[in-house]
Amino acid sequence: KQWYQRRAREFQTFQHYFIQINLRVDLLKMTDRITQLQEETNNLATYMCDSVGVLQSAGVNPEKRKSDIALFSKLISDTTANINLLIDSLPTEEISSENQLARLTTLLKENEEADKELEAARVEAERQLELIRSASTHIASTQLKIRAELAAKLST
């Protein structure tokens, strides 16, 4: 039972740090804030329920209780901080439809520019690939020619 509880705590710690890393990566990717907020709220509820269950099963061992309390306090406080960070990153009500339209127009222009850059990179990559194929063909034909000349010299 102790082994199971220790593994459960290790898993929860790992899960918490994994979630925090994903949260920071997702924030950089500008993913859906509401979904992230829902996930973090679910994580908070899970940590709270798990903490009650683990603390009840810990019995009267004060050392075990201290470590469990420290672990769940950290998990709960970090998750709460993530929730606050997400709430602060939500757009305010003051954003008008004109501002949203302007931002959308800007994003569409940026997308079109990125598309043009990607197409130019693709064309350049195809050009370089053709050069490499041509050079490879030239090298192969030169090798065959040299081998044939060398074989002719050795046979005479």
Side-chain angles (χ1 to χ4, degrees):
K1 187 174 181 177
Q2 290 176 345
W3 178 87
Y4 173 76
Q5 290 172 345
R6 187 173 59 243
R7 293 290 177 234
R9 282 194 307 275
E10 289 171 359
F11 175 75
Q12 289 169 345
T13 301
F14 171 77
Q15 181 184 21
H16 173 71
Y17 288 117
F18 183 74
I19 289 168
Q20 279 194 332
I21 290 169
N22 280 342
L23 175 66
R24 288 185 177 94
V25 169
D26 287 345
L27 286 174
L28 292 175
K29 290 181 178 178
M30 302 296 288
T31 58
D32 182 21
R33 301 280 193 273
I34 300 298
T35 303
Q36 290 176 345
L37 189 57
Q38 289 171 334
E39 289 175 8
E40 285 298 306
T41 304
N42 289 339
N43 290 337
L44 183 61
T46 299
Y47 295 147
M48 288 182 169
C49 290
D50 288 350
S51 67
V52 170
V54 169
L55 291 175
Q56 284 177 345
S57 68
V60 293
N61 184 349
E63 289 301 315
K64 183 160 177 33
R65 279 187 161 265
K66 280 183 183 179
S67 65
D68 289 341
I69 289 170
L71 171 70
F72 284 109
S73 296
K74 174 124 179 73
L75 289 173
I76 291 169
S77 65
D78 288 349
T79 305
T80 303
N82 290 344
I83 289 172
N84 288 334
L85 177 67
L86 285 168
I87 289 171
D88 291 342
S89 71
L90 290 173
T92 61
E93 294 177 20
E94 299 162 359
I95 296 177
S96 66
S97 57
E98 292 86 19
N99 288 345
Q100 288 178 348
L101 184 59
R103 178 67 178 139
L104 184 58
T105 304
T106 303
L107 290 173
L108 287 172
K109 286 179 184 176
E110 289 174 4
N111 190 26
E112 288 173 5
E113 290 173 12
D115 189 42
K116 288 177 185 176
E117 289 175 12
L118 181 62
E119 181 61 23
R122 186 192 61 77
V123 168
E124 177 64 19
E126 286 179 358
R127 187 188 67 78
Q128 289 182 3
L129 179 62
E130 188 56 40
L131 287 174
I132 291 170
R133 284 181 181 155
S134 174
S136 177
T137 302
H138 178 70
I139 290 169
S141 66
T142 303
Q143 283 180 335
L144 290 174
K145 183 179 172 184
I146 290 172
R147 284 182 187 166
E149 290 174 3
L150 185 59
K153 284 184 182 180
L154 289 176
S155 64
T156 57

